[in-house]
Amino acid sequence: MTEPVKNKRRLIAVAVAAVIAAAALIAAYLLPYYMAGSSMPADTQLSLELTDDGLLVKWPPASGCDGYTIAVALPDGDEPLFEASTAENRCTIPYMEGVGELAVTVNTWRGFTRFSGEGVRLGSDPVTVVCDMKVPEVTELRIEPDAEHKAARLMWNCADSAEVWVVDGEERSMLAVSDEGEQTVYFGPDGDFSMPEHGEEYRFEVSALRRGDGYVFRGNTISGASIVRDDLLGYDLAPAVTDEGDNFFTVNWEETKGERYIVRMRADGGDWVIVAAIDKAGERTYSTGRLEPFCTYELSITSVDSEGSLVAGPQELYVTTEASVVYANVWPLMELELYADSARTEQIGTIPAAECCCVIREEDGMFLVRWDDKTGYIDSNFCLINLPDYIGRLCAYDITNSYSSLYMVHEFAIPEVTDTVVAGYENVQLTEDSYLVPLLYPVAQKLIPAAQDALADGYRIKIYDSYRPNMATRSIYDLTLSIIEEPLPDEPFTDTPVEELELPEPADGEAVTYYQLVTNGTYNLGNFLATRGSYHNMGIAMDMTLEDAETGEELEMQTRMHDLSWYSIISRNNANANLLDGYMKAAGFGGLTSEWWHFQDNDTRNELGLNTYMWSGVTPEGWKADGNGWRYCDAEGRYYTGQTITLGETSYTFDGLGYLVEPGEN
């Protein structure tokens, strides 16, 4: 290579190096400047708020900048009235009273460093907004609760928009922005907020707000509006009842103003009884437990204040009950097998005749019962059921054999029978007006339509006797037979004058005997009293009359109940006795020619093949439930309360109301 060529190449290399060096020098000087570029966010909106220190201006933060500049000037002025630089996306500027509008310019800046020193580059897209400087103002905040819709209507005076805030304890949150000068707030599951808890409140604040082109100006905030739970409650309890089955009902109602709710109940127009008092914060529900069958119950719900004065209500509703075996007392007519299930697949024991059991439910023709320490199923067809438990007030009851027997011979006393407690009835009267009235379950079912027909006509069937123990049958017969040939006492047992009794004339001056009143030459004592066994002993017969359903006054029959004389024969029936006979015969019952009061279920006897004359009387002794728990009743109808007793080989503890304290309960 020649020397000229070499020199030429050297010159080219030097020139290239010089260009590269110059480019590097230029880049080192200009690159920091270009790298320091920044700009305000797109669609920036300024926020203005008057404070004690001046007018606070805020804007969205920009990325990639070290700070911001802000300049304030008149819209048509060249010289700024205020300038400042800040590292934060906010700045307080002087508030200038009397100035209608101001142009506020906000820009970004970023610092940079190069070999010649430090510099600052302003953003390329400053934001300038012309703002109306009149401070928006809100006044006269008011609140109107609307209990019907669980709402509150907030109202205020403001020429501009307003922000509505809610304060719940320490938490403050914005609810809405309104241009209408009002806002409705709804509470509850589907509302804006849940209902305030008792003792708590929601407080509301409203802030004035003006929206302009590129800015929002917030003015003053006023408070003083609040709402508590009671403000959102009305006066309509709107009670509703749910039939849970087997005469159990649940009552629910709406929350209203007041401090507590009072639930009252009465049966068939009787006296009101307070059954529940529930605090305003409590559960608004009442469970009736098992109600007496065939009654109309009226329930009244009220709300009262702390002094007991009425606030809401009373609002009432009605429930009507029906026949129900649940919790009824039953007694096996004979020894019955106890099964583990209603299909009778497994026998788990036997229950002796006349043992008191409590029915838990009926299933497939079987009663699930509790007896002693066992629970199982027995055949319902062979159980005597207590009528007051099963059909309640559909019938009336007066089992006089349990306290003062009415057995007489045309109003002449039978010694040791009349006005006595008949053998086997010692535990039948529970209280002055409460009795055990056992009747075979299929017969009891058959009685219902007869009693309903009578009630529809304004009459109630009144039962004087149903199941009669065989010991009572034998005792009454034997004692009556022992005096049958005796002359009548000088005076009747009742206060009826002798001359009104239509007594037969004595023969040849002899005294009239009991026998003559019983037979009249046609009948005998066996027509009135069974010598060995009676359908009453099977629980398929009843002695009854009719009473006025409204007054309780018995209809007049041709004789008194249990008049063991030919005067009671059905051929002498008066119209009232025929009325009774019609109700019972229409329901499928048979009668006796000698007793207007006696009706029996021959069909059930034949279908079940009954030939059992149960000897002993019944007692209420055993377990009893009422929906609130289990209690144990002794033979005299009393419950064990506040004590521990041993039944069989098991100890049981009962609380002060007599309910069993199950293991684990306090």
Side-chain angles (χ1 to χ4, degrees):
M1 181 181 299
T2 63
E3 188 64 28
V5 173
K6 290 182 180 180
N7 291 334
K8 185 177 180 178
R9 287 184 175 179
R10 289 191 189 99
L11 288 174
I12 292 172
V14 170
V16 170
V19 170
I20 292 173
L25 181 62
I26 293 171
Y29 184 83
L30 296 180
L31 186 61
Y33 176 82
Y34 287 109
M35 292 296 293
S38 63
S39 64
M40 292 291 290
D43 300 324
T44 292
Q45 187 176 58
L46 302 185
S47 172
L48 284 68
E49 183 177 349
L50 188 63
T51 68
D52 293 338
D53 298 326
L55 189 63
L56 175 63
V57 181
K58 295 187 290 186
W59 53 88
S63 60
C65 71
D66 294 327
Y68 308 87
T69 64
I70 182 170
V72 179
L74 294 174
D76 54 356
D78 295 329
E79 296 298 323
L81 303 177
F82 173 84
E83 290 182 305
S85 178
T86 174
E88 297 181 339
N89 59 319
R90 64 183 61 198
C91 181
T92 299
I93 67 177
Y95 177 68
M96 304 172 191
E97 291 190 23
V99 176
E101 293 182 329
L102 286 177
V104 180
T105 300
V106 179
N107 200 1
T108 58
W109 64 266
R110 189 174 183 184
F112 62 88
T113 303
R114 56 191 175 189
F115 60 84
S116 61
E118 295 182 350
V120 172
R121 181 181 178 183
L122 293 176
S124 58
D125 295 307
V127 172
T128 299
V129 177
V130 177
C131 303
D132 185 346
M133 287 292 103
K134 182 180 178 181
V135 180
E137 184 179 15
V138 61
T139 61
E140 298 184 26
L141 177 60
R142 308 176 301 283
I143 187 168
E144 288 184 358
D146 180 359
E148 180 181 358
H149 299 97
K150 297 292 184 288
R153 182 185 179 201
L154 291 166
M155 296 167 289
W156 59 87
N157 294 333
C158 186
D160 300 287
S161 301
E163 292 177 335
V164 182
W165 298 81
V166 63
V167 182
D168 180 11
E170 299 298 323
E171 183 177 346
R172 184 175 186 264
S173 56
M174 190 173 73
L175 174 64
V177 175
S178 173
D179 299 323
E180 305 298 327
E182 64 177 59
Q183 179 70 32
T184 300
V185 187
Y186 293 92
F187 301 86
D190 299 323
D192 304 296
F193 299 96
S194 61
M195 290 283 286
E197 297 296 330
H198 292 284
E200 298 181 358
E201 68 174 0
Y202 286 114
R203 291 180 289 113
F204 297 94
E205 298 177 352
V206 175
S207 300
L209 182 74
R210 178 181 303 117
R211 294 181 178 275
D213 185 13
Y215 74 98
V216 173
F217 196 161
R218 288 179 172 80
N220 68 318
T221 297
I222 60 173
S223 58
S226 64
I227 199 162
V228 296
R229 191 180 188 91
D230 206 53
D231 294 330
L232 299 170
L233 303 177
Y235 300 93
D236 185 7
L237 291 153
V241 64
T242 301
D243 187 346
E244 307 291 354
D246 291 311
N247 296 336
F248 288 81
F249 298 86
T250 301
V251 182
N252 298 281
W253 57 92
E254 295 297 324
E255 187 178 8
T256 65
K257 297 180 186 297
E259 293 298 315
R260 65 181 184 277
Y261 303 99
I262 305 298
V263 184
R264 293 178 174 85
M265 186 165 60
R266 65 176 176 177
D268 288 342
D271 295 333
W272 287 105
V273 176
I274 295 177
V275 294
I278 299 171
D279 184 76
K280 65 180 180 181
E283 187 175 2
R284 298 181 305 282
T285 184
Y286 170 70
S287 296
T288 64
R290 183 185 185 272
L291 298 180
E292 185 178 357
F294 286 104
C295 282
T296 296
Y297 285 86
E298 187 176 2
L299 292 113
S300 170
I301 318 295
T302 59
S303 175
V304 299
D305 61 20
S306 58
E307 303 299 323
S309 298
L310 187 66
V311 174
Q315 291 181 264
E316 298 166 355
L317 46 80
Y318 297 84
V319 297
T320 300
T321 54
E322 301 175 343
S324 173
V325 302
V326 173
Y327 300 152
N329 280 140
V330 295
W331 300 265
L333 183 63
M334 59 196 73
E335 183 177 85
L336 292 180
E337 293 83 3
L338 183 68
Y339 295 96
D341 54 51
S342 61
R344 312 188 194 201
T345 57
E346 179 187 356
Q347 183 176 342
I348 57 176
T350 57
I351 300 180
E355 286 288 300
C356 185
C357 307
C358 183
V359 177
I360 299 172
R361 67 174 177 269
E362 184 178 13
E363 185 178 329
D364 301 328
M366 305 286 280
F367 284 151
L368 175 63
V369 300
R370 179 170 185 170
W371 170 72
D372 197 13
D373 60 350
K374 297 181 176 63
T375 299
Y377 291 85
I378 57 177
D379 193 332
S380 64
N381 286 317
F382 298 96
C383 288
L384 303 171
I385 191 167
N386 188 33
L387 288 180
D389 292 340
Y390 176 49
I391 61 173
R393 300 187 188 187
L394 182 61
C395 292
Y397 314 97
D398 189 2
I399 311 303
T400 52
N401 286 338
S402 68
Y403 65 95
S404 177
S405 175
L406 294 180
Y407 277 108
M408 290 180 277
V409 177
H410 203 46
E411 306 199 30
F412 289 93
I414 304 171
E416 299 183 62
V417 176
T418 305
D419 199 29
T420 68
V421 175
V422 175
Y425 285 83
E426 294 84 359
N427 300 113
V428 166
Q429 185 179 35
L430 304 178
T431 64
E432 184 177 352
D433 298 312
S434 175
Y435 311 91
L436 300 177
V437 189
L439 190 67
L440 199 68
Y441 180 51
V443 185
Q445 292 174 296
K446 200 170 183 177
L447 172 63
I448 291 175
Q452 288 176 320
D453 287 346
L455 202 58
D457 292 337
Y459 307 109
R460 180 175 280 108
I461 288 176
K462 186 174 184 178
I463 297 174
Y464 274 89
D465 204 9
S466 53
Y467 166 71
R468 181 184 305 154
N470 189 246
M471 67 167 64
T473 296
R474 298 300 299 271
S475 174
I476 297 170
Y477 181 86
D478 292 343
L479 290 169
T480 305
L481 181 64
S482 69
I483 56 96
I484 196 69
E485 300 294 344
E486 297 283 335
L488 296 175
D490 292 336
E491 297 292 337
F493 180 80
T494 66
D495 56 3
T496 304
V498 173
E499 57 269 19
E500 295 183 9
L501 295 179
E502 303 180 26
L503 299 179
E505 291 293 330
D508 301 326
E510 296 180 0
V512 178
T513 64
Y514 283 94
Y515 180 81
Q516 289 174 278
L517 294 186
V518 171
T519 67
N520 194 36
T522 302
Y523 296 89
N524 59 54
L525 185 59
N527 292 113
F528 300 94
L529 294 172
T531 57
R532 292 186 178 276
S534 161
Y535 282 6
H536 280 285
N537 307 153
M538 299 178 180
I540 62 172
M542 292 166 287
D543 296 340
M544 61 176 61
T545 188
L546 290 174
E547 68 176 24
D548 186 291
E550 289 293 328
T551 66
E553 182 178 355
E554 291 186 21
L555 275 59
E556 184 178 355
M557 303 296 184
Q558 63 262 34
T559 70
R560 295 178 188 269
M561 177 65 60
H562 291 160
D563 181 353
L564 305 182
S565 76
W566 75 277
Y567 297 91
S568 301
I569 62 176
I570 62 173
S571 62
R572 291 174 56 89
N573 273 9
N574 64 11
N576 292 333
N578 284 333
L579 183 64
L580 173 63
D581 186 78
Y583 292 132
M584 297 305 292
K585 295 291 178 61
F589 287 89
L592 292 179
T593 60
S594 55
E595 298 175 354
W596 61 261
W597 58 76
H598 176 98
F599 298 92
Q600 61 193 38
D601 188 355
N602 299 313
D603 294 337
T604 294
R605 178 185 183 277
N606 295 334
E607 290 170 5
L608 298 180
L610 295 178
N611 58 6
T612 298
Y613 302 106
M614 193 161 72
W615 175 261
S616 62
V618 298
T619 80
E621 183 171 8
W623 290 101
K624 184 72 173 177
D626 60 4
N628 295 315
W630 286 95
R631 298 189 289 176
Y632 194 87
C633 185
D634 68 15
E636 296 181 0
R638 298 171 303 191
Y639 292 103
Y640 295 107
T641 59
Q643 57 186 303
T644 298
I645 64 168
T646 300
L647 302 172
E649 298 180 355
T650 306
S651 293
Y652 300 94
T653 299
F654 301 91
D655 65 19
L657 296 177
Y659 291 101
L660 176 65
V661 179
E662 298 288 357
E665 291 187 8
N666 295 321

